[in-house]
Amino acid sequence: MEEQIRCNIENNLLALLQKDGCNLVSSLSLDSTRAIGDAIQSFVEQHFRECIPNKFLGEYEDDFSRRSMQDLAFSDKDGNYYAIDVKTHNTGTEFNMPNLTSVQRLAKFYRNNSNHFCILMITYNVDGDKIVYTNCQFRPIEHFAWSCLTLGALGWGQIQIKNSNDIEILSTPSRKEWMIKMCEALEVFYGIEISKINDRINWFRQEKEYWENYQYK
């Protein structure tokens, strides 16, 4: 995707949110980041298509299950496919660590060079009774530096943002280099997980010995 098109999508969505997305929840729900996040995601699912330049857009999809890696998807006129994970971040919170995707899913998905897994990060704060949108970032995951990412122990491993307040975007992103770094990070991560599992195995071996020697009184 050309940089100009990506920037146009970001600017179009931010303008649309600032125009029509300030009152997506009732005043009673303004203190709930989950309620606001769900409302923003629903709004984006309904309107994101409007933000993509017509000359660039091919097919568009917005009907995915909760377990899918994407919330939205579209293809361009050249056959590239963009799977989009919508994330929201309230800058009024000190810490936010969202899951992005499974390492195994991403590895399989990225074997096809035409596939792009994109993060659509919408940043906002709450001012009085309104949602105030401050930024939209629409980028493939390989644009996010590994310095601001981490791995979580779910399934094969989940890529997570360490803290949404501190995101580093690579100046010269390379899918090849990024995926190699992911594999290297997983080697370290799996080693730590194996050590944890071995500690648990040893603990329960001792627990088993306790019960084998237990005498009912």
Side-chain angles (χ1 to χ4, degrees):
M1 182 186 301
E2 294 179 7
E3 184 70 7
Q4 185 60 51
I5 293 174
R6 187 189 62 74
C7 289
N8 283 346
I9 292 173
E10 289 178 341
N11 293 335
N12 291 342
L13 179 58
L14 183 59
L16 185 61
L17 285 164
Q18 291 173 338
K19 177 177 178 288
D20 297 326
C22 297
N23 301 108
L24 297 180
V25 299
S26 69
S27 58
L28 297 176
S29 298
L30 284 172
D31 60 349
S32 170
T33 55
R34 179 180 291 273
I36 293 176
D38 288 346
I40 293 174
Q41 179 175 323
S42 179
F43 180 90
V44 172
E45 288 172 354
Q46 294 176 47
H47 298 286
F48 188 71
R49 182 172 190 160
E50 305 166 29
C51 303
I52 307 170
N54 287 331
K55 63 180 181 180
F56 180 73
L57 179 62
E59 296 184 1
Y60 183 85
E61 303 173 76
D62 59 7
D63 186 17
F64 294 96
S65 71
R66 286 274 181 179
R67 295 180 62 84
S68 297
M69 67 187 295
Q70 68 262 51
D71 301 306
L72 308 165
F74 70 92
S75 59
D76 64 23
K77 296 295 178 63
D78 295 323
N80 292 296
Y81 182 78
Y82 303 89
I84 305 168
D85 186 15
V86 180
K87 298 298 180 188
T88 57
H89 174 55
N90 182 352
T91 57
T93 59
E94 292 184 4
F95 186 74
N96 189 272
M97 190 176 182
N99 285 333
L100 299 181
T101 190
S102 158
V103 292
Q104 187 192 36
R105 278 189 179 184
L106 183 66
K108 290 181 176 180
F109 188 65
Y110 266 11
R111 285 293 183 94
N112 185 337
N113 288 331
S114 296
N115 288 339
H116 305 267
F117 180 65
C118 301
I119 309 301
L120 176 57
M121 177 69 75
I122 299 166
T123 305
Y124 71 93
N125 60 61
V126 176
D127 185 7
D129 61 352
K130 291 185 178 181
I131 305 169
V132 178
Y133 300 92
T134 55
N135 195 25
C136 285
Q137 286 195 87
F138 175 54
R139 292 179 178 271
I141 194 171
E142 62 266 30
H143 287 206
F144 290 75
W146 271 101
S147 60
C148 69
L149 301 176
T150 188
L151 295 166
L154 179 62
W156 287 65
Q158 283 278 323
I159 302 173
Q160 300 172 313
I161 293 176
K162 285 182 183 178
N163 187 344
S164 293
N165 285 312
D166 186 18
I167 292 177
E168 180 185 353
I169 300 299
L170 296 170
S171 57
T172 55
S174 162
R175 175 178 294 194
K176 178 180 177 178
E177 292 177 4
W178 193 92
M179 290 297 292
I180 289 172
K181 286 187 177 181
M182 183 186 82
C183 294
E184 292 172 346
L186 282 166
E187 285 187 41
V188 175
F189 174 75
Y190 287 149
I192 294 171
E193 292 302 301
I194 289 169
S195 178
K196 289 179 182 177
I197 293 297
N198 285 334
D199 288 343
R200 294 168 192 170
I201 289 171
N202 290 332
W203 194 93
F204 275 103
R205 279 177 179 161
Q206 295 173 7
E207 188 72 2
K208 179 184 176 184
E209 289 177 7
Y210 169 84
W211 287 105
E212 286 175 340
N213 297 318
Y214 184 83
Q215 297 294 325
Y216 287 98
K217 297 180 181 179

